[in-house]
Amino acid sequence: MARQRLEDALASAQDSAPAQETEPADPATPEAAPAHTPMGIAQDTVAAREAMVARLEETGVLRPGPVRDALLSIRREVLMPQAYVRRDLPGEAPPRWDLLDWAEPADRDELVTLLYGGESVLVQHAGERVLGRVQGPRSGRAITRRRTSKPDGARGCKTCNNDSRRRAMYGTEPEDFLRMLEDQGNCCAVCGVGFADDNRSQVDHDHSCCPGKKSCGECVRGLLCNSCNNGLGRFKDSVNHLRAAVSYLESFQ
């Protein structure tokens, strides 16, 4: 009987005890997304863009305006989904690079650092075709850089300025220019030397259609290096003059 009275007393005490309430989660505090989920990647790139803009503002080279807004909104990983990172050690020869690809989740953290870090981005190896490149290592030969920010960034990026100049001078859109580069293997159509920072491409057009420096866009012939473009200009685009020059040179061989 005593045991029964004790059990009844314990049960009564439990029934009268206040219920424990569970505090609901704060909906305004979402859980952090894993780094390689779409949400995590988006958060990383947004933070990288904001850090890049803040850095440019701190150094005094970027002011409020459309350029700042563009830097905050443009996704560089879409414009440049592939880039090279140098892997060789100091003094090692030949130099080695790895081509990173945004399509590979394992490459994304390193690509974010490359694209938004403020340094030049390595974009092309030895004049290779940019489209359809296979991810992996490269070695030797030359690498082409593209600057991702300029000290005079408030005046616009170099790529955009070049696109605007070619559109005004030759009537070519950026996709037309890239198509010509691709068709020519990023090399001069005359001498075959690859374009690089110290050997930039020049748009060549038929001066019998459009005398002078500007083109209507219909008479653009291709891309030449500065030397070959100047050479054709010196010969006034005359096939007869060029043949005579070849005959002259051959006569001394």
Side-chain angles (χ1 to χ4, degrees), residues 12-60:
S12 176
Q14 290 175 350
D15 290 341
S16 60
Q20 295 288 334
E21 294 185 0
T22 302
E23 185 175 348
D26 184 3
T29 309
E31 295 183 2
H36 291 298
T37 64
M39 175 184 277
I41 294 167
Q43 291 172 343
D44 289 345
T45 55
V46 169
R49 288 198 295 273
E50 292 174 347
M52 176 187 66
V53 168
R55 186 171 58 250
L56 292 173
E57 289 177 321
E58 288 173 2
T59 56

Side-chain angles (χ1 to χ4, degrees), residues 25-238:
D26 184 3
T29 309
E31 295 183 2
H36 291 298
T37 64
M39 175 184 277
I41 294 167
Q43 291 172 343
D44 289 345
T45 55
V46 169
R49 288 198 295 273
E50 292 174 347
M52 176 187 66
V53 168
R55 186 171 58 250
L56 292 173
E57 289 177 321
E58 288 173 2
T59 56
V61 301
L62 185 65
R63 297 184 295 273
V67 174
R68 180 186 182 279
D69 295 341
L71 289 176
L72 282 172
S73 62
I74 292 175
R75 298 176 58 196
R76 296 186 172 199
E77 66 276 10
V78 175
L79 294 178
M80 289 185 286
Q82 293 182 322
Y84 283 99
V85 59
R86 192 159 185 170
R87 299 298 195 197
D88 55 285
L89 300 175
E92 181 182 346
R96 296 182 292 107
W97 299 274
D98 278 343
L99 180 62
L100 305 178
D101 194 322
W102 188 256
E104 295 293 332
D107 290 349
R108 289 175 178 172
D109 288 342
E110 199 166 13
L111 264 175
V112 167
T113 301
L114 291 175
L115 295 177
Y116 296 101
E119 300 296 329
S120 297
V121 178
L122 309 178
V123 295
Q124 188 179 43
H125 177 254
E128 66 187 348
R129 291 181 177 271
V130 175
L131 300 179
R133 293 183 296 184
V134 178
Q135 179 197 28
R138 310 285 194 277
S139 65
R141 306 180 71 180
I143 200 90
T144 302
R145 299 174 177 269
R146 171 170 291 177
R147 295 185 69 178
T148 59
S149 61
K150 297 180 61 180
D152 54 352
R155 292 183 291 177
C157 75
K158 189 172 184 179
T159 300
C160 296
N161 290 340
N162 287 338
D163 289 343
S164 298
R165 181 182 59 82
R166 282 190 291 264
R167 185 183 294 112
M169 291 289 293
Y170 309 109
T172 59
E173 296 296 327
E175 56 268 24
D176 300 324
F177 176 73
L178 291 175
R179 190 179 302 110
M180 284 191 289
L181 274 180
E182 189 75 14
D183 291 343
Q184 295 181 201
N186 199 41
C187 297
C188 173
V190 174
C191 67
V193 173
F195 298 126
D197 287 347
D198 57 351
N199 185 43
R200 299 186 181 279
S201 61
Q202 307 288 323
V203 178
D204 173 51
H205 74 278
D206 186 353
H207 290 80
S208 64
C209 173
C210 295
K213 295 183 178 181
K214 287 192 174 183
S215 165
C216 62
E218 297 296 326
C219 58
V220 170
R221 296 186 292 204
L223 301 175
L224 306 178
C225 68
N226 189 59
S227 296
C228 290
N229 193 41
N230 286 338
L232 290 184
R234 298 286 185 182
F235 282 98
K236 302 186 185 300
D237 283 1
S238 171

